[in-house]
Structure formats: C-alpha cells, structure tokens
C-alpha cells in the first residue's frame, strides 16, 4: 500500500485548479475507459466502464444510487437516463459541483462536501458507487464505513480503484507510485488484498474482485495524445505550465508517469463489488 498525507481541501483545490484541463483531456467522465472488444473509441470505452459498474451494482429502474466522488455528474446522468436510477452525487470540488448542478437532469441531484462527513441519511440508498474516488479519501476505513451507513441492508457497493502492485520494486515505488499519489492528490493506493479487507471490515460480503488493468491501460496513451495536442494548439496550457503559482502543474508529468506505471506493471486497476450484511 502507498500512502500520502492529504486533506480534503487539497483534493478540492486539485480538481478546482485543473477544472478546464480535466474536461478538455478526459471529458465529462473523469475516469478510465474500459476496452472490452478493443476497437471502442475513448468515449465508448468510458461509457462501457459505467455500464460495467451498473451491472455489478444491479442498478435498474428506480434504484436509489449514491455516486461517491461524482465529478462532473456525467456518470449520474447516464445512470438516470439509461437505467432509470435516481442518483445523488457527492463531490468535494466546488468547480465540479457547479458544473454538475448546472447540468443536472431528471433523476439526479448533487451535494457539495466531504464524503467522510456527509449529511446523507442512514440506509437511504440501494447502491453506492465510487469510480476512482476512494483513493482521494484521507481515511479509507471511514470511506467504507460511510458507504455502509448510507446503504440499506442488502445494498451493494461497487468501487473501481487505482491499485499498487503488492510486489512493486523499490524503484517503482519511489519514482512512480509515490509521486503519482502526491501529484494526483491521492491519500492511498492499496492492493487487491487491501480493498478486499476494507470491504469486509466495514461489514460487506465481497461478491466480485476483477483485475481490469489490461482493459483500462489504453486510457493513458489516449489522454497523453489529447494533452500534447492541446499543448500545441491552446496557449492556456503553456501559460499554466510556466506559471509558478500553478500548484498542480506537475500533473502534466504525472499523466506520462501513470502511463509508464501501467506498462511496467507497478500499477493495477480493480473493480470490486460487495453486499452489505
């Protein structure tokens, strides 16, 4: 497991400062794509990941869903439109909340705030999902406890997570995983075994654990190409990179670091689902 000292305000600042760049490079869905056939476009692969999460959560018409770390609300809108779910998204970023709230569609609502101190009612949801947001939580065990609290008995939790290979070398840890955590404002990068343990500790019966590293790693060459294209055509990118007051400009390097971490096997990607006992 890789850990970094982090406060929720730092996560919010990271996403607020990089707001327009995230949407330029990643789109409204700020998460990996899932290539199943192999010939999907980046946008198709991104939506495929959401469909996979929905299947693991058993999300259907009328399901009450909590999207933990909802970003710009694209996943919430897709779950409402395509599956008939009623989705409440939670984000710590003011910029993301403003965008999500402005784009809110029927069946969606959004809350700005720290998930670890969220105001949601006990047992209010049938399904909770966290697509690449648990890594940002300063207290990973509290993340799982809050998920268990807001779910009804028998409710499902689906988590997709960036993972550290348990046998990553010292060099991989020092030059890839630890900087990725710092630069990406991630408090924790656990392993498959870590996440299984956290699920069980919080009162979930683990239903499925999937290693999707090979199906998602294409996200990073795609993002790298988009970033380089923007760098060549959009003066905002150059200004941002050379502005010494831009506290998150190092994330431009992190994009390529993550790409190499996947190709070297230091990073993995997992999808977990569990049922609240």
């Amino acid at each position: 497991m890789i850990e970094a000292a982090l406060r929720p305000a730092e996560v919010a600042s990271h996403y607020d400062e990089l707001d327009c760049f995230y949407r330029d490079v990643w789109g409204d869905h700020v998460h990996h794509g899932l290539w199943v056939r192999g010939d999907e476009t980046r946008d198709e692969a991104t939506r495929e990941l959401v469909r996979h999460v929905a299947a693991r959560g058993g999300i259907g018409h009328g399901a009450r869903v909590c999207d933990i770390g909802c970003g710009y609300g694209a996943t919430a809108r897709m779950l409402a439109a395509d599956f008939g779910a009623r989705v409440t998204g939670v984000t710590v970023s003011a910029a993301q909340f403003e965008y999500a709230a402005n784009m809110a569609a029927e069946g969606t609502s959004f809350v700005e705030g720290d998930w670890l101190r969220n105001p949601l009612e006990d047992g209010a949801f049938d399904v909770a999902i966290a697509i690449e947001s648990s890594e940002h939580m300063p207290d990973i065990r509290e993340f799982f406890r809050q998920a268990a609290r807001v779910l009804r008995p028998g409710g499902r939790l689906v988590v997709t997570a960036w993972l550290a290979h348990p046998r990553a070398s010292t060099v991989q840890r020092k030059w890839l995983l630890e900087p990725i955590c710092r630069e990406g404002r991630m408090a924790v990068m656990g392993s498959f075994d870590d996440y299984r343990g956290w699920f069980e500790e919080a009162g979930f019966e683990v239903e499925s654990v999937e290693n999707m590293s090979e199906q998602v790693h294409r996200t990073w060459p795609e993002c790298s190409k988009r970033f380089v294209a923007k760098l060549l055509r959009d003066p905002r990118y150059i200004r941002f990179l050379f502005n010494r007051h831009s506290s998150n400009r190092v994330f431009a390097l992190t994009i390529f670091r993550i790409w190499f971490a996947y190709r070297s096997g230091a990073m993995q990607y997992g999808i977990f689902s569990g049922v609240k006992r």
Side-chain angles (χ1 to χ4, degrees), residues 166-191:
R167 293 183 298 279
S169 69
T170 301
V171 171
Q172 287 173 326
R173 292 174 67 94
K174 181 177 180 180
W175 295 104
L176 294 174
L177 301 179
E178 291 173 3
I180 288 169
C181 276
R182 288 195 304 271
E183 296 159 7
R185 302 300 187 264
M186 291 184 284
V188 61
M189 193 186 293
S191 66

Side-chain angles (χ1 to χ4, degrees), residues 3-4 6-8 114-117 134-146 187-188 198 201:
E3 295 181 279
L6 189 68
R7 294 175 293 108
D114 179 2
W115 170 252
L116 303 182
R117 296 171 177 80
S134 62
E135 303 89 336
H136 293 299
M137 303 292 173
D139 186 339
I140 188 67
R141 287 179 170 84
E142 184 62 19
F143 160 82
F144 278 97
R145 283 193 291 267
Q146 287 295 324
V188 61
W198 292 326
E201 185 181 299

Side-chain angles (χ1 to χ4, degrees), residues 84-135:
R86 292 176 289 154
V87 189
T88 300
V90 181
T91 178
V92 74
S93 164
Q96 289 182 344
F97 171 75
E98 181 179 4
Y99 185 91
N102 286 337
M103 295 292 290
E106 184 178 354
T108 66
S109 62
F110 299 94
V111 176
E112 179 187 356
D114 179 2
W115 170 252
L116 303 182
R117 296 171 177 80
N118 74 80
L120 303 175
E121 295 182 5
D122 295 0
F125 298 96
D126 304 303
V127 184
I129 64 172
I131 299 180
E132 302 168 28
S133 61
S134 62
E135 303 89 336

Side-chain angles (χ1 to χ4, degrees), residues 22-268:
Y22 266 117
R23 280 190 280 122
D24 275 355
V25 175
W26 282 53
D28 283 0
H29 287 275
V30 188
H31 59 70
H32 285 70
L34 184 69
W35 278 264
V36 177
R37 300 187 313 273
D39 62 351
E40 295 93 340
T41 66
R42 165 82 171 96
D43 290 341
E44 288 169 346
T46 303
R47 294 175 66 84
E48 184 59 40
L49 181 69
V50 178
R51 284 191 285 269
H52 193 86
V53 167
R56 290 293 173 266
I59 297 174
H61 186 79
R64 300 168 300 165
V65 180
C66 182
D67 184 359
I68 307 166
C70 65
Y72 297 110
T75 294
R77 294 192 297 274
M78 181 176 168
L79 292 176
D82 294 1
F83 295 87
R86 292 176 289 154
V87 189
T88 300
V90 181
T91 178
V92 74
S93 164
Q96 289 182 344
F97 171 75
E98 181 179 4
Y99 185 91
N102 286 337
M103 295 292 290
E106 184 178 354
T108 66
S109 62
F110 299 94
V111 176
E112 179 187 356
D114 179 2
W115 170 252
L116 303 182
R117 296 171 177 80
N118 74 80
L120 303 175
E121 295 182 5
D122 295 0
F125 298 96
D126 304 303
V127 184
I129 64 172
I131 299 180
E132 302 168 28
S133 61
S134 62
E135 303 89 336
H136 293 299
M137 303 292 173
D139 186 339
I140 188 67
R141 287 179 170 84
E142 184 62 19
F143 160 82
F144 278 97
R145 283 193 291 267
Q146 287 295 324
R149 181 184 66 78
V150 302
L151 283 170
R152 62 168 175 78
R156 282 188 167 84
L157 171 65
V158 184
V159 176
T160 77
W162 303 23
L163 305 173
H165 194 290
R167 293 183 298 279
S169 69
T170 301
V171 171
Q172 287 173 326
R173 292 174 67 94
K174 181 177 180 180
W175 295 104
L176 294 174
L177 301 179
E178 291 173 3
I180 288 169
C181 276
R182 288 195 304 271
E183 296 159 7
R185 302 300 187 264
M186 291 184 284
V188 61
M189 193 186 293
S191 66
F192 280 99
D193 286 344
D194 289 329
Y195 269 85
R196 184 187 292 273
W198 292 326
F199 263 86
E200 292 174 348
E201 185 181 299
F204 290 95
E205 179 181 347
V206 177
E207 273 195 325
S208 64
V209 177
E210 300 170 281
N211 186 337
M212 292 299 203
S213 308
E214 285 300 313
Q215 288 85 359
V216 305
H217 72 81
R218 278 179 56 184
T219 298
W220 295 98
E222 293 285 339
C223 283
S224 299
K225 285 188 288 187
R226 287 191 184 189
F227 175 76
V228 171
K230 289 289 185 180
L231 193 64
L232 294 175
R233 298 171 186 167
D234 191 335
R236 291 179 305 160
Y237 282 73
I238 296 295
R239 289 197 298 269
F240 181 78
L241 290 179
F242 286 93
N243 183 351
R244 61 188 178 87
H245 298 296
S246 302
S247 59
N248 289 286
R249 60 181 177 166
V250 70
F251 197 67
L253 172 63
T254 312
I255 292 173
F256 299 96
R257 206 191 298 269
I258 295 169
W259 183 2
F260 188 69
Y262 270 115
R263 297 317 299 157
S264 69
M267 264 185 72
Q268 298 179 310

